[in-house]
């Protein structure tokens, strides 16, 4: 039986494979399952670097400037302070593995997984600011659509 925590992040399950606590906050790792069109809106982290690898499906990666195809077993990364994102550009559900260093992303997910949008948008912004996460400036309707 698998005892890994799974968080529902705005309709997408994120399974934490290695918690921050288990690594003394050196890193955390998990798998996000995204439906077609799914994935987080472009954002940046003030404190963490992230590494991504497609496990299943077809994805695109945003490097802060443009979207590019992201193939199975290919590795992409984002340094702290850089806007980035990924999205499932295929027609089937996809899975993407991530590693974030230092740890903490899993605790952010635990904090936001109970939020419902659009009614909790202010709370999401507050929590994101506390964790050093910032969403790329989008018009409010586009940001909300990207999160739901």
């Amino acid at each position: 039986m698998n005892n890994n925590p799974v968080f529902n992040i705005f309709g997408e399950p994120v399974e934490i494979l290695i918690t921050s606590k288990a690594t003394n906050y050196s890193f955390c790792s998990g798998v996000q399952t995204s439906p077609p069109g799914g994935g987080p809106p472009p954002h940046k982290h003030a404190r963490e670097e992230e590494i991504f690898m497609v496990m299943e499906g077809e994805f695109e990666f945003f490097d802060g400037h443009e979207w590019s195809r992201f193939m199975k077993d290919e590795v992409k990364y984002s340094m702290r302070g850089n806007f980035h994102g990924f999205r499932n550009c295929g027609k089937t559900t996809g899975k993407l593995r991530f590693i974030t260093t230092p740890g903490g992303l899993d605790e952010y997910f635990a904090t936001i997984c109970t939020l419902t949008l659009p009614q909790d948008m202010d709370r999401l912004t507050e929590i994101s600011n506390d964790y050093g996460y910032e969403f790329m400036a989008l018009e409010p309707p586009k940001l909300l659509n990207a999160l739901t």
Side-chain angles (χ1 to χ4, degrees):
M1 183 174 157
N2 182 347
N3 290 324
N4 295 339
V6 178
F7 303 111
N8 181 337
I9 306 301
F10 308 116
E12 297 190 25
V14 177
E15 178 184 9
I16 303 303
L17 303 175
I18 304 170
T19 66
S20 297
K21 189 174 180 181
T23 67
N24 198 25
Y25 291 85
S26 295
F27 68 94
C28 69
S29 180
V31 173
Q32 182 161 338
T33 302
S34 297
H43 62 282
K44 66 180 176 179
H45 307 257
R47 300 174 207 136
E48 300 92 4
E49 277 81 34
E50 281 190 285
I51 301 167
F52 305 94
M53 185 175 76
V54 174
M55 298 171 61
E56 296 174 16
E58 301 175 49
F59 283 84
E60 292 178 314
F61 183 78
F62 181 69
D63 67 2
H65 304 286
E66 63 185 0
W67 292 93
S68 61
R69 197 74 160 180
F70 186 24
M71 307 305 286
K72 186 174 190 294
D73 295 331
E74 186 177 356
V75 175
K76 298 280 188 179
Y77 66 91
S78 180
M79 301 301 289
R80 71 185 70 190
N82 292 336
F83 282 106
H84 63 281
F86 60 85
R87 65 183 173 205
N88 181 341
C89 62
K91 295 182 184 190
T92 61
T93 298
K95 291 186 178 196
L96 186 129
R97 180 170 302 187
F98 63 86
I99 300 169
T100 303
T101 180
L105 184 62
D106 54 332
E107 293 177 355
Y108 172 71
F109 288 151
T111 305
I112 68 168
C113 71
T114 60
L115 301 180
T116 304
L117 297 178
Q119 52 271 46
D120 292 328
M121 191 66 183
D122 289 342
R123 183 72 179 124
L124 173 64
T125 300
E126 180 183 316
I127 293 167
S128 297
N129 288 340
D130 289 347
Y131 278 87
Y133 303 154
E134 178 186 339
F135 295 104
M136 183 174 264
L138 297 172
E139 297 171 29
K142 289 183 181 179
L143 176 58
L144 184 57
N145 288 339
L147 290 168
T148 58

